[in-house]
Amino acid sequence: MTGLPPYAELLQLSPEPDPRGGPPLMLMPAHDGVLGRPGFLHGGAIAGLCEFAAFSALRAALGEPDTLMKPITVTVDYLRGGKLEATRARAEIIRLGRRIANLEVRAWQDDETRPIALARLNFLLERQPREP
């Protein structure tokens, strides 16, 4: 992912290789800009991390740089308080159709099997016509 949007830059997000060989994971380091209540991440920062992980995975799967991806719904379940430490997110494409994509995202800190949040996102895809 190149040229991150301003909000992703504010969160200091960066892609990192997935050890499983899938689309890149998204990493959000601990810093004051993502602080909510003392010692914990802000829920909006966690949601932003999940959304950008989904965008990244979808962009990698599409391989079509001109396809517009518009979020239709974003639902985040917060499972436990995220401590102020590095947080990762992995997106999985559940269904990729011509016009709609459905993804699930897991955000975690120390242990991927103990997520701090799970998100479900639905995207409208506007594919650009290819020139002959």
Side-chain angles (χ1 to χ4, degrees), residues 97-119:
R98 291 266 325 128
R99 303 260 309 143
I100 302 290
N102 309 103
L103 292 92
E104 291 183 354
V105 181
R106 169 184 301 257
W108 74 93
Q109 293 182 315
D110 299 330
D111 180 356
E112 187 174 355
T113 65
R114 292 182 40 84
I116 62 168
L118 298 173

Side-chain angles (χ1 to χ4, degrees), residues 18-38:
D18 182 353
R20 297 189 210 170
L25 303 178
M26 197 59 65
L27 169 67
M28 181 174 67
H31 58 92
D32 288 344
V34 296
L35 183 64
R37 62 188 164 107

Side-chain angles (χ1 to χ4, degrees), residues 5 8 15 21-22 34-35 43 46 48 51 53-55 59-60 63 84 91 93 115 126 131:
V34 296
L35 183 64
I46 296 169
E51 186 172 355
F55 270 114
R59 177 66 64 212
L84 188 58
I93 297 173
E126 290 186 7
E131 295 185 26

Side-chain angles (χ1 to χ4, degrees), residues 8-65:
E9 290 181 4
L10 177 74
L11 296 175
Q12 299 179 13
L13 300 183
S14 61
E16 66 178 26
D18 182 353
R20 297 189 210 170
L25 303 178
M26 197 59 65
L27 169 67
M28 181 174 67
H31 58 92
D32 288 344
V34 296
L35 183 64
R37 62 188 164 107
F40 290 87
L41 297 174
H42 188 280
I46 296 169
L49 169 66
C50 290
E51 186 172 355
F52 283 111
F55 270 114
S56 178
L58 191 51
R59 177 66 64 212
L62 287 170
E64 301 168 359

